[in-house]
Amino acid sequence: MVLAKNLKRFFINTFIVLCVILFIPGLPPYSKLEPFSPTPPLAFEGALDPKDYALAKAEKLFDGEIVGPESLEVSPIDPNVFYATLHGGSIIKIFGNGTQMKTVAKLGHKCSGSWDVNNCGRPLGIRFDRDGYLIVADSYLGIYKVDCESSGQVSNLVHKHAVIEGKVARIFNGVAPAKDGRIYYTVTSTNYPFDEALGEMLGAPSGRLMVFNPETNENKVLQENIHFANGILLSPEEDYVIYAECFRFRLHKYFIRGPKTGTTEIFLDGLPGTPDNLNLSPEGNILIALVSVRLPGEFDPLELLFNHPWLRKLAIRIMHLAKFPFDVVSKFYDFPLFRQIGSHVMSLNLLVPVLPPYSIIVEADWEGKIVNSWHSNSADQRLFSDAKIVNGYMYLGSPFNDFLARIKMPSSTQITKHLKM
C-alpha cells in the first residue's frame, strides 16, 4: 500500500513538473512547431534489396587513429588520392591505396579537445573548385578555401558571423562549387549550433540553400525553412542543384538556370533513412549516404515525435534546462569538464546508442530513380555519411566512427551485369 501511494505521488509530481516545463512562457523553442508526417520509407526490394549486406564486411582503415571522417573528396590532380574532414577540425590527405594519411590543413584554433568545437571547428562538406582549391564548409567557422595540393594556405570566404538576409548561419554543411566560380552551399540551421543539432531536428526547420559569389563577395538565400539541409550536388549541366533534407527523408531539385530558375521540386522522396552527403559514382550517378535508417514496417520514434509537436517542444525544453547549468558555470569559470558535458547534452551523439544497427548507401540516376544500393546490418559497420569510389574501392565516411571503412567493388562488367538484372 505504501509503495502504491509513493508511486502515485511520483507520477503526479512528474506530471505536474512536465506540464510546468511545457507551458511556462519564455523558454525555447521560440518558433511554432507544426505536425507533419514524412513519406513512408521505400521497401527493401528491387534496387533497394539488401542482397549480401556488402557494407557489413567493410574493412576498417586507421582504426582508432581518427574520429569522424565525415566527408570525402578525390584530388583533381591524382585520382588515387582523396581527402576527408575529421572531428577536431583537421582535413587529411589519404594516399597509398588508402593505407597512409597526413594532415594538410586545420581551420580552427588551439583547443582543449575535439569537443571544444567553437575553437577547433568541425569541417563537414568538401569539394574542389574549378581552380583546384578545396572548398570547405566548417559547421562553426564558415566557408573556406584551402590550397591543400601545395601551400596549405587557408582563406575564409564566408565568415561565421555574417548576417545574411537577417540571419546568421549556425551550421554550415555542404558545398558545391560551380564552373562559373559561384559556390552553392547548405546551412543546416540558423537557430542552433552543431553541438545542439537535436534542437534543429525536433524544432521548426530553419535550414537554407545559399549561393556565394566570390566576385562580389555576396551571399544570397535561395531556399529557406529546410528541415536539416545537408549534402548538395550540382547537375552535370549545372542548371540545377540537388540537396538533401535530412529529416523529411528526401532530396530536392532547385533550378539555377533555364525557364524554371528559382523554382524547386522534390527529386527523390521516401528514402529509408536520413540523407547526408551526396557524391558521384564512377558512372556519374548520385551516391546518397543514409547515415541513419528507417526500417520499413518497424516503429519509428521520430515519426511519433514529428506528428506530435507538444512532445518535441517538451523534449527541446528538457534538453535546454539540462544544458543550462553547464553553460552558466562555463561562462564564468574555466571548467573544461563542464564545457565538455554541456557540448553533449543536445548533440546528435546522444542518438547513436539507439539508432538501428543498419546503414545504406543508395545510388540514384539523374531522373531520381534508384538503381543500386549497398547495405550493412552490422552494429560495427553503420552510421555512414558519405561514399566515394576510389581505385576500385568504395570508401565510407562517418561523423561518428573512429575509422574509415571501405569495401572492394566488383569489376565494371559485374556492375553492368547486375544493373541489367
Side-chain angles (χ1 to χ4, degrees):
M1 182 66 74
V2 174
L3 177 61
K5 286 183 177 180
N6 289 337
L7 284 174
K8 182 179 179 181
R9 185 180 299 113
F10 170 77
F11 285 119
I12 291 174
N13 291 340
T14 301
F15 178 77
I16 292 172
V17 170
L18 292 178
C19 285
V20 170
I21 294 173
L22 184 62
F23 295 109
I24 192 171
L27 294 178
Y30 302 112
S31 302
K32 184 179 179 181
L33 306 185
E34 300 288 348
F36 67 93
S37 296
T39 301
L42 297 168
F44 288 179
E45 58 188 24
L48 277 175
D49 188 286
K51 300 181 279 295
D52 58 349
Y53 296 100
L55 301 186
K57 309 178 185 76
E59 173 188 5
K60 292 183 179 181
L61 305 175
F62 315 116
D63 193 6
E65 300 177 45
I66 59 175
V67 178
E70 157 83 18
S71 182
L72 311 173
E73 174 69 338
V74 174
S75 165
I77 297 175
D78 186 346
N80 297 316
V81 171
F82 62 101
Y83 296 82
T85 54
L86 300 183
H87 190 56
S90 298
I91 299 168
I92 59 170
K93 177 180 181 178
I94 299 169
F95 54 100
N97 198 29
T99 62
Q100 297 174 278
M101 67 172 179
K102 70 174 184 177
T103 300
V104 295
K106 195 175 189 320
L107 304 182
H109 309 290
K110 184 178 180 181
C111 50
S112 303
S114 59
W115 52 268
D116 186 12
V117 287
N118 288 300
N119 291 313
C120 293
R122 192 359 175 162
L124 296 178
I126 49 174
R127 287 289 180 272
F128 280 99
D129 70 4
R130 63 183 181 180
D131 299 318
Y133 292 103
L134 188 68
I135 306 301
V136 184
D138 187 291
S139 57
Y140 294 91
L141 305 179
I143 305 294
Y144 282 79
K145 179 173 73 172
V146 181
D147 183 7
C148 59
E149 293 286 353
S150 55
S151 68
Q153 182 178 350
V154 174
S155 305
N156 182 229
L157 300 177
V158 181
H159 195 270
K160 62 181 179 180
H161 295 313
V163 180
I164 303 167
E165 297 186 24
K167 295 179 181 179
V168 175
R170 303 297 301 278
I171 305 175
F172 295 87
N173 203 314
V175 289
K179 294 174 184 176
D180 65 4
R182 289 180 171 86
I183 299 171
Y184 296 87
Y185 65 97
T186 54
V187 169
T188 297
S189 177
T190 55
N191 289 333
Y192 292 95
F194 198 44
D195 57 335
E196 297 179 6
L198 286 178
E200 181 67 22
M201 181 187 83
L202 298 174
S206 70
R208 286 174 154 184
L209 173 65
M210 312 282 293
V211 62
F212 170 71
N213 187 337
E215 293 185 0
T216 62
N217 205 36
E218 292 179 339
N219 291 276
K220 182 181 178 181
V221 179
L222 303 178
Q223 288 284 110
E224 290 197 276
N225 303 321
I226 304 167
H227 199 173
F228 219 93
N230 207 311
I232 183 172
L233 202 60
L234 275 158
S235 69
E237 301 301 322
E238 297 198 350
D239 53 344
Y240 60 87
V241 295
I242 302 295
Y243 67 86
E245 187 176 24
C246 272
F247 293 109
R248 299 299 167 97
F249 312 105
R250 61 192 180 188
L251 305 184
H252 294 267
K253 176 192 290 189
Y254 179 86
F255 292 90
I256 57 177
R257 283 196 298 137
K260 292 186 177 180
T261 298
T263 64
T264 186
E265 59 188 48
I266 293 176
F267 179 74
L268 179 56
D269 202 358
L271 286 167
T274 50
D276 202 312
N277 287 295
L278 308 179
N279 227 315
L280 289 176
S281 73
E283 294 75 29
N285 289 327
I286 306 168
L287 293 176
I288 309 160
L290 305 183
V291 68
S292 65
V293 174
R294 299 189 294 164
L295 297 173
E298 293 195 12
F299 171 71
D300 184 0
L302 272 183
E303 188 167 345
L304 175 68
L305 289 168
F306 291 152
N307 276 286
H308 296 86
W310 68 270
L311 280 176
R312 290 153 55 202
K313 181 178 179 180
L314 181 62
I316 291 172
R317 289 189 162 193
I318 289 173
M319 288 189 294
H320 274 285
L321 290 172
K323 193 174 187 296
F324 178 74
F326 298 101
D327 289 345
V328 170
V329 171
S330 299
K331 185 176 181 179
F332 296 101
Y333 302 98
D334 186 20
F335 289 163
L337 179 61
F338 272 59
R339 290 167 57 204
Q340 186 173 2
I341 295 173
S343 71
H344 284 86
V345 173
M346 297 181 67
S347 168
L348 291 174
N349 289 307
L350 291 181
L351 296 180
V352 171
V354 299
L355 291 175
Y358 209 101
S359 199
I360 309 175
I361 303 297
V362 173
E363 182 180 6
D365 63 21
W366 287 93
E367 300 300 318
K369 178 185 177 183
I370 295 176
V371 297
N372 206 350
S373 64
W374 296 262
H375 298 237
S376 171
N377 60 352
S378 167
D380 198 40
Q381 295 284 0
R382 61 176 184 144
L383 306 170
F384 298 130
S385 60
D386 203 1
K388 192 70 178 178
I389 298 174
V390 183
N391 198 23
Y393 288 92
M394 177 186 283
Y395 289 85
L396 301 157
S398 168
F400 307 109
N401 293 338
D402 61 354
F403 58 87
L404 180 68
R406 75 175 181 182
I407 60 169
K408 181 70 175 175
M409 297 295 289
S411 67
S412 58
T413 54
Q414 289 174 304
I415 293 174
T416 303
K417 181 180 178 181
H418 173 74
L419 293 178
K420 287 180 178 179
M421 291 174 65

